[in-house]
Amino acid sequence: MEASELHDLSDDADYAASQLQGSASMMRCDSDKRSRSSDPDAAELIYLKDNVAIHPTQFATERISGRLKLTKQDALLFLSWIPYKGQTSNAKLSEKDRNLYTITAVPFTEVRSIRRHTPPLGWQYVIVVLSSGLAFPPLYFYNGGVKEFLATVKQHVLLARSAEDANVFIVNDFQSRLQKTLSSLELPSSLPVASGQSTYPLDEVYSNENQGGTSAGIDNRVSNVSQYGLRKQKSHDPTRDLSIHLLEKFSLVTKFARETTTQLFSENNGFGSAGKRWNNQPVHSYPEKLSNIVEEKHDQNPHSYPEKEHLNDEEIYNDIDVPADPLEFNKLSLVWGKPRQSPMGSQEFTAFLDSEGRVVESKALRERVFYGGIEHHLRKEVWPFLLGYHAYESTYAEREYLRSVKQMEYATLKQQWQSISREQAKRFTKYRERKGLIDKDVVRTDRSFEYYEGDDNLNVNIMRDILLTYSFYNFDLGYCQGMSDYLSPILFVMEDESEAFWCFVALMERLGPNFNRDQNGMHTQLFALSKLVELLDSPLHNYFKQNDCLNYFFCFRWILIQFKREFEYEKTMQLWEVLWTQYLTEHLHLYVCVAILKRCRSTIMGEQMDFDTLLKFINELSGHIDLDSTVRDAEALCICAGENGATSIPPGTPPSLPLDDGIVYSLDDDVL
C-alpha cells in the first residue's frame, strides 16, 4: 500500500483537545491465560520503537521500559512488546513483574481496536484492545511516535477511525470474510458482462428464464437508448486492469469488523422484538392446492408464465441431498408474480396528469412503472418524481420555478469549492482527500459507455463537479466510493448538471446510510436479509449457518450499490426505477437478493459451497441474471411474506421512504 493511500493522520491535533480523557481503567490480560506463538524466526521486521514503557502503578517513576515491534509472516501482522532486561526504574518491580507484562507475537487478527491518547501535556500512549474485550496496559511512547506507529499498522491491516470516538481505530483483518467480500468489488470498471467463462453453469441456473419472460417493449427500449449513445460492446475494457486497493474502494465504508458479525446475528441483536420474533418461527405454510392453482394459471396464460426448469440435483451433485424448497419457488412465482409489461410512453404518462401538470394518482403511476418501466426519453421527466425531487402534486409552473431556484442554489454550492485557492487547499486536508478520491473515481466509472468514453470527456468532468459539490452540500457524509456508480445513470438520464445534482441529493437521502462511517445502514440491511431468508427458505438459511456464512457478506455488493455490477447499464436503470417506486415495499431490493439466492439454492447447497466458494460464485453471477424473472420472483416473495416479512425488517432500515412533498423543504427540516 502506498503511503498516500493511508488515512491522513496529520489532523490528530484537531481531535486531541476534544477527546482528551483520563487514564482508562482497562483489564489486564494475564499471559498465563493466553497461548501466544513466539516471534517466528522467519518473520520480517516491519517496525521497531525503543523506550516504549508500561506503568504497572499510578506512579510515573515505576515504569517498565521496553521495545515495541511489528513483525510480519505469512501475510499476518504481529505485535510484540519485550521489556528490557534489568532496566526497571524501581527495585520493587521484579523479573516476574516484567514477564507478566510481556506481549509476545499477538496477531492482529485478534485485535479489535487501538485507542490513541495524545494529551497536550504528558506522554502519548495507546491501548490495544483484543477481540475478547480484554486489553493490554497502556503503552507509553516516551519519545513520541504514535502517529508513525498507527501509520505503519495501517500499511498492513485495515484501520478505520471510529465514528463514536475519533481516537479509536477499528482493526479489520485483511483475511476476514468481509474484506474478501469488499476486495471482490470492482468499482472502477464497468459491468463485467461476459468477462470470462464462469466456473459454474450460471446460464443453466437461469436456463429458461429468458424464454417468454422478456418485456414486450424491451427491443424498442434498447433501440431508443442506443440513440443516446448508451454503450458500445468492447472485448476489453482497459479500466478493468486497474488494481484498486481496498481502502480506495469504499473510503469510509470500512467499519465492519469480524466481531460485529456475532453482535449482528446473535439472539440479543439490539433490534428489539422484530429481530427476535422469527428466530424460532417455522417457515410460512402455504395451501396444498398451490400446484392446482399453478396449472390453472398456466393454462390460462401459458406464454406469460413460462415454467422454469431447474437443475437435476441427482445428475449434477451425485449423492448430495439438497433440502426441498419449502415454498415450491418455481410455482410460487407463477401464482403471485405478474408478467412485465411494455415500458410507459409519453402519451400514457400525460394521461396521469391534470391540465396543470399534477399527477392525479401517484400510486397508479408508481404501479405502472413497477410493472413496465419507462421509455428512456421519458425518464428525465419521471425520475424526479420517483426520487422525491418533484412532488406529485406540483404543477408545471411550480416545477419550472423549482428548477430555476435550484439551479441558482447549485451554482452557489459549487462556488464554495471553486473559490478555494491553492494556498487554502494546502491547509484543507478534507478537501484535498475528497477531491483526490473523486478525481480517481470518475475517470474509471462506466468508461466503456459512449456517454463517458474517451479522454477529456465533458460528462466525466461534470460528474466530478457534481460529486465535489455534494461533498460540500453534505459535508458530514462527504464522498464515499460507490457514489459515482449511483450518479452515473442519473447524469446520463437528466443531461443537466443542476438537475442531476438534485436528483442525486434526493437519492442519497434514501441511500446515504449505506455510506455512513458506522455502517449501521448496511448492518441493518444484512440483518433484515438474513431474517427474510430464514422466513422464506429456512433450509438455505440453516445451510448458511452451518457453513459459517450467516453474516451474508457475500451479498454486500448487491446492497451497497443496488446491483449496479450485476446487470447491464440499461437493465440497471430498469431495476432502479422499479425499486424507486417503492410500490410493494421500500425494501424490494432485499427480496431481489432472496430471489437470486433461492434461484441458485440447488447449486449452492449441492456443491457444498463454503464462504470463499460462495463469494466467487455470487460474483460470477454478474451478467447472468435475468432481470424480468428476478423482479417477478421478488414480487411473489414479498407478497407471500406479507406482514411476517415486514416485521422481519427493523424500523429505519434503508432506503427510507421519500417525503410526500419531495425535497422542497427548508434545510433546517428533519429530512428522515
Side-chain angles (χ1 to χ4, degrees), residues 397-652:
E398 289 170 341
R399 292 195 290 273
E400 188 60 36
Y401 175 74
L402 178 67
R403 289 189 188 97
S404 62
V405 170
K406 289 297 181 180
Q407 189 172 21
M408 290 187 291
E409 185 177 347
Y410 174 73
T412 301
L413 290 168
K414 186 176 180 180
Q415 184 63 26
Q416 291 180 4
W417 61 265
Q418 286 182 325
S419 62
I420 295 176
S421 66
R422 185 185 299 271
E423 290 300 315
Q424 184 183 2
K426 292 179 181 179
R427 298 166 177 81
F428 199 165
T429 302
K430 289 297 182 184
Y431 168 72
R432 296 198 313 272
E433 288 178 347
R434 291 175 178 180
K435 184 177 184 303
L437 195 57
I438 291 170
D439 287 342
K440 289 181 180 179
D441 281 359
V442 296
V443 297
R444 55 197 182 203
T445 300
D446 296 326
R447 296 306 299 276
S448 64
F449 298 100
E450 187 173 1
Y451 192 76
Y452 296 107
E453 192 179 36
D455 298 333
D456 299 323
N457 187 299
L458 178 61
N459 299 315
V460 174
N461 295 334
I462 293 175
M463 182 158 55
R464 179 204 63 197
D465 290 354
I466 291 176
L467 292 173
L468 261 174
T469 305
Y470 181 78
S471 73
F472 275 74
Y473 173 81
N474 189 346
F475 199 82
D476 289 341
L477 182 60
Y479 174 78
C480 302
Q481 279 141 341
M483 288 183 177
S484 61
D485 278 282
Y486 282 117
L487 176 59
S488 171
I490 293 177
L491 178 58
F492 170 72
V493 166
M494 300 307 297
E495 296 185 302
D496 179 87
E497 183 173 346
S498 173
E499 291 291 279
F501 172 81
W502 292 111
C503 284
F504 178 72
V505 167
L507 180 61
M508 286 297 102
E509 293 296 336
R510 300 181 185 183
L511 299 180
N514 282 16
F515 302 100
N516 282 345
R517 187 190 296 268
D518 63 9
Q519 277 297 282
N520 185 57
M522 291 299 297
H523 277 267
T524 54
Q525 288 176 89
L526 288 173
F527 171 81
L529 175 59
S530 74
K531 289 304 177 184
L532 289 178
V533 174
E534 184 178 18
L535 175 69
L536 296 167
D537 197 336
S538 59
L540 180 59
H541 179 82
N542 291 334
Y543 174 84
F544 289 150
K545 183 176 181 179
Q546 294 166 5
N547 289 271
D548 201 19
C549 299
L550 200 57
N551 48 36
Y552 285 81
F553 285 162
F554 47 85
C555 298
F556 191 91
R557 176 173 79 181
W558 292 353
I559 294 175
L560 182 72
I561 52 177
Q562 300 227 310
F563 307 95
K564 176 78 183 302
R565 293 286 165 237
E566 318 317 314
F567 298 101
E568 297 177 355
Y569 206 83
E570 163 63 19
K571 293 287 187 181
T572 298
M573 292 190 291
Q574 293 177 34
L575 174 60
W576 283 5
E577 59 199 17
V578 168
L579 298 180
W580 294 345
T581 64
Q582 301 189 339
Y583 172 64
L584 291 178
T585 171
E586 59 183 298
H587 300 113
L588 186 69
H589 67 296
L590 298 179
Y591 289 95
V592 172
C593 293
V594 179
I596 298 173
L597 292 175
K598 287 180 70 65
R599 188 60 59 194
C600 302
R601 69 190 306 276
S602 295
T603 306
I604 293 171
M605 291 190 285
E607 296 198 5
Q608 294 291 293
M609 295 182 183
D610 58 13
F611 180 86
D612 293 340
T613 309
L614 177 60
L615 177 60
K616 183 174 186 293
F617 172 75
I618 292 296
N619 289 335
E620 290 184 345
L621 286 177
S622 178
H624 297 273
I625 303 173
D626 181 76
L627 177 60
D628 290 346
S629 58
T630 299
V631 171
R632 188 169 64 247
D633 293 343
E635 177 193 4
L637 290 169
C638 181
I639 294 174
C640 288
E643 289 299 320
N644 290 346
T647 55
S648 296
I649 301 174

Side-chain angles (χ1 to χ4, degrees), residues 167-182:
N167 282 318
V168 173
F169 295 86
I170 307 300
V171 177
N172 285 344
D173 173 27
F174 272 116
Q175 300 303 316
S176 71
R177 296 186 168 180
L178 176 63
Q179 302 316 319
K180 291 181 180 179
T181 304
L182 294 180

Side-chain angles (χ1 to χ4, degrees), residues 115-136:
R115 173 178 285 276
R116 174 193 60 189
H117 290 261
T118 56
L121 297 176
W123 298 290
Q124 301 177 0
Y125 65 93
V126 299
I127 298 174
V128 178
V129 182
L130 301 177
S131 298
S132 62
L134 301 178
F136 292 113

Side-chain angles (χ1 to χ4, degrees), residues 135-309:
F136 292 113
L139 296 169
Y140 287 83
F141 288 68
Y142 271 76
N143 295 333
V146 169
K147 185 192 300 185
E148 291 76 7
F149 169 72
L150 291 174
T152 304
V153 171
K154 201 149 197 168
Q155 293 181 43
H156 301 278
V157 299
L158 188 61
L159 206 61
R161 196 191 296 270
S162 169
E164 291 77 17
D165 189 335
N167 282 318
V168 173
F169 295 86
I170 307 300
V171 177
N172 285 344
D173 173 27
F174 272 116
Q175 300 303 316
S176 71
R177 296 186 168 180
L178 176 63
Q179 302 316 319
K180 291 181 180 179
T181 304
L182 294 180
S183 297
S184 70
L185 305 181
E186 299 180 2
L187 292 181
S189 62
S190 60
L191 176 69
V193 176
S195 59
Q197 295 297 322
S198 172
T199 307
Y200 303 96
L202 304 177
D203 294 323
E204 295 182 36
V205 174
Y206 288 87
S207 56
N208 283 339
E209 295 185 21
N210 292 325
Q211 300 177 18
T214 307
S215 302
I218 185 63
D219 293 335
N220 180 50
R221 198 181 327 185
V222 173
S223 64
N224 288 340
V225 172
S226 64
Q227 298 175 13
Y228 292 81
L230 174 60
R231 72 173 293 162
K232 286 183 177 180
Q233 290 289 352
K234 290 187 172 184
S235 59
H236 176 70
D237 179 4
T239 61
R240 288 183 53 80
D241 295 334
L242 293 173
S243 176
I244 309 303
H245 189 272
L246 184 61
L247 288 179
E248 286 191 353
K249 288 176 179 175
F250 283 109
S251 187
L252 301 181
V253 190
T254 55
K255 181 90 193 297
F256 275 100
R258 189 184 292 266
E259 71 273 7
T260 60
T261 305
T262 56
Q263 297 173 2
L264 185 59
F265 298 105
S266 61
E267 292 291 333
N268 299 319
N269 50 66
F271 292 115
S273 59
K276 301 177 182 178
R277 189 169 301 169
W278 303 109
N279 283 340
N280 300 313
Q281 182 86 2
V283 173
H284 223 22
S285 299
Y286 293 93
E288 295 180 357
K289 296 182 180 180
L290 179 61
S291 299
N292 296 333
I293 298 175
V294 171
E295 293 175 1
E296 181 180 350
K297 289 226 173 190
H298 189 267
D299 292 338
Q300 294 174 356
N301 210 348
H303 299 293
S304 298
Y305 296 92
E307 184 75 34
K308 298 179 180 66
E309 297 179 3

